[in-house]
């Protein structure tokens, strides 16, 4: 994947695009109006035709009312409501499914994805890229905890997965129709869009941005949600945990052969001196380590079976409450 810094931005032949902005929101009542105004201050200066697709991901606060009032003052706004909190990735999917524009830009509804990047994103798509992937600039990451978990996660996933993912990639990206259709053709239930984007290929470019603080409120990504997202990424994009099982099984089998040969040699050579050694602690260590490994591996297999179970049920990724 290229980085936009190395690409000379040639003014593209002027074309008027229909651009859909897909914005998932969960309990963002205090933010929506300000974030909408911020986005409008950028897009209203552009020659393209914009539509806003807000996806209310089962919010329990006044998000629905906020969206209604935004819609009253701006007729370009569509508000989809999911029947419950299906999660950020499902909400993004709902927005992508309902988009019709030539270009779709997905961004957070809390002001952390700066709308100032939108003109550059459209320009890169106009120059022939299918995907413009936003990447948080290094120094702008919000906290040590987020930085540490994000860095560790990307190192791990890139080591164990055949699909290489961009560290610090955010769900802030522009897609052309071809890339949106490719994503729509992937009906998997456990969705990790950052991985799916890398998997579909096409011509992509990375666009770094500086992430400002939230306009208000707090992060809706609880530790539980972060863990679920990481698990979706690892188990949907890697079979390596299963190979860990296979290789440690082989290792233990080799150790057992060595031990067996040693015991046989003792028996043949009638060497009884070693047999006197109690050996209980080392035996227990081997038994505990081996059973620990077996249990971990059964756990891995259990997770994959669980994922397969959820995929074969072919449940919808989200359910709509109503369309505004
Ligand atoms: N979000 C969502 N459903 C969720 C959690 C978050 O639609 O279950 C939305 C949230 O309203 C925001 C975006 O996803 O617009 C990113 O979430 P957040 O800002 O909480 O994540 P962070 O920036 O802390 O990683
Ligand atoms: Mg945020």
């Amino acid at each position: 994947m290229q980085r936009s810094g190395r690409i000379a931005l040639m003014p593209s032949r002027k074309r008027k695009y229909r651009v859909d902005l897909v914005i998932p929101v969960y309990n963002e009542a205090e933010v929506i109006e300000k974030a909408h105004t911020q986005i409008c201050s950028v897009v209203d200066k552009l020659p393209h035709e914009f539509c806003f697709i807000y996806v209310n991901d089962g919010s329990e606060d006044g998000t629905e009312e906020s969206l209604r009032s935004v819609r009253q003052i701006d007729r370009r706004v569509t508000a989809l409501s999911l029947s419950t909190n299906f999660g950020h990735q499902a909400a993004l999917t709902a927005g992508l499914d309902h988009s019709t524009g030539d270009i779709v830009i997905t961004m957070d509804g809390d002001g952390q994805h700066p709308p100032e990047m939108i003109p550059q994103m459209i320009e890169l798509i106009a120059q022939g890229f299918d995907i413009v992937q936003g990447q948080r600039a290094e120094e702008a990451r919000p906290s040590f905890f987020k930085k540490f978990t994000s860095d560790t996660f990307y190192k791990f996933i890139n080591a164990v997965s055949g699909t290489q993912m961009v560290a610090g990639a955010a769900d802030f990206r522009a897609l052309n129709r071809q890339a949106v259709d490719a994503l729509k053709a992937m009906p998997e239930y456990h969705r990790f869009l950052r991985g799916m984007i890398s998997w579909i290929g096409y011509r992509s470019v990375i666009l770094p941005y500086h992430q400002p603080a939230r306009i208000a409120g707090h992060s809706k990504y609880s530790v539980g949600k972060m863990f679920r997202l990481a698990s979706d990424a690892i188990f949907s994009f890697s079979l390596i945990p299963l190979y860990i099982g296979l290789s440690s099984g082989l290792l233990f089998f080799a150790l057992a052969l060595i031990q067996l040969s040693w015991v046989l040699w003792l028996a043949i050579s009638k060497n009884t001196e070693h047999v006197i050694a109690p050996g209980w602690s080392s035996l227990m260590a081997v038994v505990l380590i081996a059973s620990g490994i077996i249990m971990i591996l059964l756990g891995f297999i259990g997770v994959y079976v669980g994922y397969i179970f959820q995929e074969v049920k072919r449940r919808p990724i989200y359910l709509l409450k109503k369309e505004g």
Side-chain angles (χ1 to χ4, degrees), residues 101-211:
D102 310 309
I103 299 175
V104 180
I105 297 178
T106 58
M107 58 197 294
D108 286 358
D110 59 357
Q112 288 198 287
H113 290 166
E116 294 73 30
M117 304 308 291
I118 292 176
Q120 217 175 329
M121 284 179 148
I122 297 174
E123 186 57 37
L124 285 163
I125 296 271
Q127 297 205 353
F129 288 98
D130 300 299
I131 299 162
V132 183
Q133 173 63 58
Q135 182 192 37
R136 281 189 306 268
E138 201 56 47
E139 72 275 23
R141 289 200 186 142
S143 68
F144 171 77
F145 178 69
K146 280 248 166 181
K147 179 174 161 47
F148 176 75
T149 47
S150 165
D151 285 354
T152 315
F153 168 73
Y154 279 106
K155 270 191 200 125
F156 181 72
I157 192 78
N158 283 331
V160 301
S161 160
T163 308
Q164 289 302 297
M165 300 176 201
V166 183
D171 284 310
F172 183 29
R173 63 175 74 86
L175 308 162
N176 67 5
R177 192 46 31 209
Q178 173 171 244
V180 174
D181 288 343
L183 285 181
K184 281 168 71 175
M186 296 169 81
E188 55 213 66
Y189 182 80
H190 290 281
R191 301 177 84 74
F192 181 60
L193 281 160
R194 284 162 236 184
M196 291 162 69
I197 286 286
S198 301
W199 186 88
I200 61 171
Y202 293 124
R203 218 179 146 212
S204 10
V205 59
I206 300 170
L207 182 65
Y209 68 92
H210 292 278
Q211 180 165 292

Side-chain angles (χ1 to χ4, degrees), residues 98 150 268:
H98 285 78
S150 165
I268 292 164

Side-chain angles (χ1 to χ4, degrees), residues 17 62 75-76 85 97 99 111 122 148 151 154 170-171 183 208 210 227 264 267 295 300:
Y17 290 102
R75 300 311 291 177
R76 298 172 296 179
N85 179 226
D97 286 348
S99 68
I122 297 174
F148 176 75
D151 285 354
Y154 279 106
D171 284 310
L183 285 181
H210 292 278
F227 186 76
L264 275 175
M295 279 186 247
F300 284 157

Side-chain angles (χ1 to χ4, degrees), residues 23-28 55-57 59 85-89 91-92 107-113 136 142 146 194 211 214 218-222 225-226:
I23 309 166
V25 282
Y26 174 56
N27 292 346
E28 304 284 11
V55 186
N56 176 7
D57 185 17
S59 302
N85 179 226
F86 282 96
H88 185 207
Q89 306 292 298
L92 283 169
M107 58 197 294
D108 286 358
D110 59 357
Q112 288 198 287
H113 290 166
R136 281 189 306 268
K146 280 248 166 181
R194 284 162 236 184
Q211 180 165 292
R214 262 182 166 268
H218 59 85
S219 173
K220 305 301 174 315
Y221 257 95
S222 57
K225 278 187 176 164
M226 277 165 67

